[in-house]
Amino acid sequence: MEETFTQIRLRQKPVHGTVVLKRGFAKMQKGGVIMDVTNVEQAQIAEDAGAVAVMVLDKLPADVRKAGGVARMCDIKIIEEVMDHITIPVMAKCRIGHYMEAKVLESIGVDMIDESEVLTPADEHHHINKWEFTVPFVNGARDLGEALRRIAEGAAMIRTKGEAGTGNVAEAVKHMKAVMGKIRELQKANDEQLLDVAREYKVPFELVKETAKLGRLPVVNFAAGGIATPADAALMMWLGADGIFVGSGIFKSEDPLERGKAIVLATTHWEDPTVVAEASRMVTEKKSMVGVDIKTLKPEQLMQFRGL
Amino acid sequence: MKSLRVGVLGVQGAVSEHVEVVNDTLKIMGINGVCETVKNLNQLKEVDALIIPGGESTTIGRVAKERGLMDEIVRKAKDGTPIFGTCAGLILLAKEVYDLKVGVVRQPLLGLMDIKVVRNAFGRQRESFEVDLNIPVLGEKPFPAVFIRAPVIEKVWGKTKVLAEFEGKIVAAQEENLLVAAFHPELTEDRRLHQYFLKMAL
C-alpha cells in the first residue's frame, strides 16, 4: 500500500498518480482555505480573497439542505468554465460510491475529488476504491476509524464531516476532537492494543501503527462542515486542523469577499489572537450566515451519518 | 560562530516539511543553526536565509503583501540574503509570470529574479509527475524530483544561470543569492539541494 520515498529504479520517464504526488498535492493546500463556489464569478471572488482552491458545486450545502431530493455531481460545463478562469486548483464533489461520477471528474481534469456526504450517496455500503485513480481524493470523517478506513481506500486527504450547510461549527469541533483524541491514545498504546484497534476499525495494522508513530494522520487533515467566521477557522486550526474548508459560510453571507479574506487571514495567523481579532473586525456578525442548531434537525436530515 | 537562522515563509503550503528537512540538513552538515517558520515582520527581519515553500502562489503572495512581508523580502534579497523558492516560491520570485491556460495572472509578485515563468506549465494535477532529474551542480546521481502542478521557467536573462532542465524546459535556476526549483525537494529524502542552498548561506 505504502510507497517509499527512495526508489531504487531510475525513473527517466515521468510517473503519474503516485502516493507522493497525491498526498503532496494536499500538502500544498496546508494552512489554506478551500472555498465552495457555484459559478465563475464566485470562483474569482474566492481567488481574490486568497483561497488555495475552490470546490465547485451545483448548490451550496445550505441550499442542498433546503432543496431536499437527490443531490448529484455538479454540471460539468460549470466546472470546466471555472477551470478556464482561475489559476488555483479546482475540486468537485462526487456521490459516495459513485465510481462513474468520479471517472467523469477525473477525465475533465479536476485537481481533487471530494467523495462527499453532502451529495446523496450512490452506494450505501461501499466507498470508491480510490487507489486506481490518478487524481487525488478527499473524504469526510467523524472519527479516527472513518478517517483510517478512507485512507486505506486511497484517500489522499481527510476532512471532518461536521454538519454541512448549518453554519454551526459544533459538529466539526466534535469530529476533530474525536480524531485527535484517539490519536493521542494510540501514541501510548503497545502493539497488541494497536492490533485490537486495527481489528475494530477494519483497517491494516500498519496504518494504525504509522498513525500512532506520527502522532497525526498520515495525510493532510482539514476541518469542514459549519465554519462561518474567522474565529471558527482559528478554532479549528487550534484543534489541530491543517487547513479549512468553508462551504456555505462565505457565499451565504452578505459580505463574501471581505469574509473570505478575513477567514484566510485568521487561518494563517490562528496562533495570534490580535490578528484573529483584526480578521473578525473585517466582517460583521449581522452579515454572517444564519446558522442552524443541530438539535432542531431530524436524524434523516443529518448528512454526517452517510458513508461510515 | 553565530548560529545560522533559516526561516521558512509560513503563510501557507509545505511549511513544516521544509522546516524538518532544513533542521535535518543542518545536522548532517554540522552547521550550528536552526530553522523556523516565519509568519510576521519581526521574525522575517531576524533570518539569515529564507525559503519560500510550495503552496498556492496566489494565496502566499496576497497574504504576505497584506502583512507587509513582501517589501521586507525584497529588501533582504537586495542585501544579499539567500532565498530559495520552490514551486510557488519560484513563481513569487520571478519578474514575469503568466498562466498556461488563463494567461495574465492577477497576483502580487516579488519580481526579483530575471526569469519568465509559466504557471501550471505541465497542466493540472493529473499531469503532476515524479522523475529522476539530472542536476549537474549536485553531482552525477540523479535527483528525485516531484512536480506538482508545477511551473517552468520559459527564459532566463541577466545573471541567471540554468541549473536543470527537463524535456527542454528549465526547472531549476540561480541568480547570485536567489535559488529556485519548480519541483519539491522537501517531499523527498534527498538533501542535496537543501545542502546546496545552505552552503550559499554560510
Side-chain angles (χ1 to χ4, degrees):
Chain A
M1 186 191 93
E2 185 61 68
E3 221 177 38
T4 56
F5 288 130
T6 42
Q7 303 258 344
I8 298 148
R9 194 164 37 88
L10 199 63
R11 300 155 307 174
Q12 284 170 321
K13 289 232 172 80
V15 190
H16 302 276
T18 64
V19 172
V20 170
L21 290 167
K22 290 180 182 176
R23 293 185 181 180
F25 170 81
K27 286 177 183 169
M28 299 307 144
Q29 304 279 306
K30 282 195 310 175
V33 181
I34 300 169
M35 302 182 190
D36 277 5
V37 301
T38 59
N39 55 43
V40 172
E41 194 202 342
Q42 288 183 352
Q44 284 175 330
I45 292 173
E47 190 175 40
D48 288 341
V52 287
V54 296
M55 176 77 67
V56 190
L57 292 127
D58 197 35
K59 291 187 216 59
L60 292 174
D63 293 324
V64 170
R65 196 170 276 294
K66 227 178 277 171
V70 175
R72 310 181 182 92
M73 174 179 76
C74 176
D75 281 1
I76 294 303
K77 278 185 239 159
I78 297 176
I79 301 172
E80 286 177 323
E81 220 190 330
V82 170
M83 289 197 296
D84 287 344
H85 284 85
I86 59 171
T87 59
I88 56 176
V90 175
M91 306 181 178
K93 291 181 192 287
C94 75
R95 283 179 264 176
I96 290 172
H98 206 310
Y99 177 87
M100 274 307 154
E101 282 187 350
K103 279 285 165 192
V104 167
L105 293 174
E106 179 174 61
S107 82
I108 64 166
V110 160
D111 295 295
M112 181 174 246
I113 298 172
D114 184 0
E115 187 182 17
S116 175
E117 71 283 359
V118 171
L119 306 183
T120 312
D123 188 328
E124 299 282 354
H125 303 290
H126 304 95
H127 283 73
I128 296 167
N129 169 18
K130 294 163 273 282
W131 293 112
E132 66 162 87
F133 285 75
T134 304
V135 72
F137 277 74
V138 55
N139 275 92
R142 288 176 311 136
D143 53 39
L144 185 62
E146 274 188 49
L148 294 183
R149 280 194 291 281
R150 299 297 85 80
I151 294 168
E153 291 158 4
M157 180 177 181
I158 294 294
R159 56 170 174 77
T160 58
K161 283 179 169 173
E163 191 56 43
T166 60
N168 186 338
V169 78
E171 296 302 294
V173 167
K174 191 201 284 176
H175 298 163
M176 188 56 77
K177 281 192 166 173
V179 170
M180 304 310 268
K182 194 70 194 184
I183 292 175
R184 277 192 290 273
E185 262 177 52
L186 292 190
Q187 284 180 290
K188 292 179 222 136
N190 61 30
D191 275 9
E192 263 174 40
Q193 291 165 319
L194 293 179
L195 198 56
D196 282 342
V197 171
R199 276 197 209 106
E200 183 196 333
Y201 289 171
K202 302 190 174 74
V203 297
F205 169 68
E206 291 74 18
L207 183 57
V208 177
K209 190 153 179 167
E210 188 192 0
T211 305
K213 195 177 150 210
L214 292 171
R216 57 157 295 141
L217 289 179
V219 301
V220 166
N221 182 21
F222 268 44
I227 293 144
T229 68
D232 283 352
L235 172 69
M236 295 313 300
M237 294 300 284
W238 175 69
L239 288 173
D242 292 318
I244 303 290
F245 278 94
V246 188
S248 314
I250 291 175
F251 290 101
K252 277 285 151 188
S253 76
E254 292 170 38
D255 50 359
L257 179 62
E258 279 303 300
R259 187 163 300 256
K261 280 186 181 170
I263 293 177
V264 168
L265 184 62
T267 302
T268 297
H269 293 281
W270 62 271
E271 301 121 311
D272 186 346
T274 61
V275 183
V276 179
E278 189 186 323
S280 303
R281 213 173 285 127
M282 291 162 67
V283 297
T284 154
E285 184 55 22
K286 291 184 188 71
K287 291 183 178 173
S288 288
M289 165 187 183
V290 180
V292 178
D293 185 348
I294 313 291
K295 293 185 203 73
T296 65
L297 295 174
K298 297 190 189 99
E300 63 270 26
Q301 288 175 306
L302 293 172
M303 291 169 173
Q304 58 180 284
F305 297 104
R306 295 167 168 179
L308 310 177
Chain B
M1 198 189 93
K2 181 179 163 286
S3 162
L4 184 75
R5 291 181 84 102
V6 183
V8 178
L9 186 65
V11 171
Q12 182 276 317
V15 180
S16 62
E17 286 77 5
H18 268 296
V19 172
E20 271 173 41
V21 170
V22 172
N23 280 322
D24 187 41
T25 312
L26 286 167
K27 211 181 286 170
I28 293 170
M29 295 173 77
I31 299 173
N32 172 24
V34 66
C35 182
E36 295 160 340
T37 306
V38 166
K39 283 193 180 184
N40 61 46
L41 210 51
N42 290 337
Q43 293 168 329
L44 182 59
K45 283 182 178 159
E46 294 294 310
V47 301
D48 305 310
L50 180 71
I51 294 179
I52 307 178
E56 284 309 315
S57 62
T58 322
T59 309
I60 297 174
R62 275 184 199 179
V63 177
K65 192 179 172 192
E66 277 176 24
R67 308 312 293 171
L69 302 176
M70 296 290 264
D71 291 342
E72 178 61 17
I73 296 172
V74 170
R75 201 190 60 72
K76 287 186 90 84
K78 292 194 170 152
D79 278 357
T81 305
I83 301 182
F84 181 17
T86 59
C87 196
L90 173 150
I91 296 167
L92 288 165
L93 283 165
K95 280 199 175 146
E96 288 179 37
V97 177
Y98 75 97
D99 185 273
L100 187 67
K101 186 99 188 219
V102 179
V104 182
V105 292
R106 304 168 299 150
Q107 65 182 107
L109 300 171
L110 294 162
L112 284 165
M113 205 168 163
D114 290 339
I115 55 175
K116 182 177 183 181
V117 171
V118 192
R119 283 191 64 180
N120 301 319
F122 298 98
R124 309 196 68 93
Q125 171 59 16
R126 64 177 178 199
E127 278 87 38
S128 292
F129 62 95
E130 290 186 68
V131 77
D132 289 326
L133 195 65
N134 185 27
I135 309 177
V137 292
L138 300 184
E140 249 175 54
K141 192 180 145 206
F143 192 89
V146 180
F147 289 85
I148 297 176
R149 285 172 47 97
V152 299
I153 302 170
E154 197 174 81
K155 67 169 186 193
V156 305
W157 63 93
K159 289 178 183 159
T160 306
K161 281 183 283 192
V162 173
L163 298 187
E165 290 184 34
F166 171 69
E167 291 181 345
K169 293 170 177 136
I170 303 164
V171 293
Q174 184 179 355
E175 180 184 340
E176 297 180 320
N177 57 324
L178 308 175
L179 177 69
V180 290
F183 47 89
H184 295 280
E186 76 281 11
L187 296 184
T188 67
E189 286 182 350
D190 196 318
R191 302 285 182 255
R192 285 177 295 159
L193 203 52
H194 281 86
Q195 286 183 5
Y196 183 84
F197 174 63
L198 291 177
K199 277 185 201 149
M200 288 165 57
L202 288 179

